[in-house]
Amino acid sequence: MTFGPDARVPVARVLLLSVTVLVLHVLLFSRFSLFAVRPEPFLLLTIVGALQLGPSGGALLGGIAGLAADLLSSSPLGLWLIVCGVIGLALGTLRAQLNQERQRTATIVAVVSCTVLGLLLYPTLSFAVSETRFPPPLRYLTIIVFACLWNVLLAPFFVATTRRLLRPKRIGR
């Protein structure tokens, strides 16, 4: 399930997974909202993928997922790419320190903390680049809480899918 230092990142599968999430977002996730907050599937894909792939794969998956999110947003191109790429790299680097015995708990903590980090980093970069205003504090808190709730609820599906698609192939005799 883990990759060694010389293992290759399955780039074609990463692309397939990102395109699938893009299609699912357009057809399904963008139609659901809870208190006007929608799921953050690209951020969740980055988080879950970084836990599977490590630093280089997490950064690659985060960059591709972030670019897909940028294509759907009205903000300047590249903001989600930076946010997801940095989160993928950082979480992929930290995955060795996560408690493997309590993998579910570690995954939930990673999903919540990285969702909060992403939703703090994105508007900060957006303000720095285009001077867009932050939402009012209560609305911003609502966005963070319900985005975390969405991501925690969707995490088991993303974990199962990424484990199946991103697991390295074993070559047997």
Side-chain angles (χ1 to χ4, degrees), residues 34-173:
L34 190 60
F35 292 101
V37 178
R38 291 186 172 85
E40 293 289 343
F42 300 105
L43 190 56
L44 181 58
L45 177 64
T46 300
I47 295 164
V48 173
L51 291 173
Q52 293 292 316
L53 296 172
S56 61
L60 174 68
L61 181 60
I64 293 171
L67 183 60
D70 278 332
L71 294 175
L72 296 177
S73 72
S74 60
S75 62
L77 189 64
L79 294 181
W80 274 117
L81 185 142
I82 293 169
V83 170
C84 290
V86 166
I87 288 174
L89 178 65
L91 188 58
T93 303
L94 292 175
R95 81 178 174 141
Q97 279 72 39
L98 296 177
N99 188 347
Q100 296 300 322
E101 294 170 3
R102 298 179 186 238
Q103 193 171 8
R104 287 185 181 148
T105 305
T107 301
I108 291 171
V109 168
V111 166
V112 171
S113 60
C114 289
T115 299
V116 170
L117 177 64
L119 293 177
L120 290 172
L121 190 57
Y122 179 80
T124 304
L125 287 174
S126 182
F127 177 76
V129 171
S130 63
E131 296 185 11
T132 56
R133 300 187 66 157
F134 282 86
L138 187 58
R139 175 68 186 142
Y140 194 54
L141 182 63
T142 304
I143 291 170
I144 289 175
V145 167
F146 285 103
C148 286
L149 179 65
W150 273 118
N151 280 359
V152 167
L153 291 173
L154 292 171
F157 303 108
F158 278 71
V159 168
T161 303
T162 56
R163 276 194 185 143
R164 183 160 179 88
L165 280 175
L166 300 178
R167 182 182 310 141
K169 296 274 186 188
R170 292 204 172 103
I171 299 173
R173 292 185 183 211

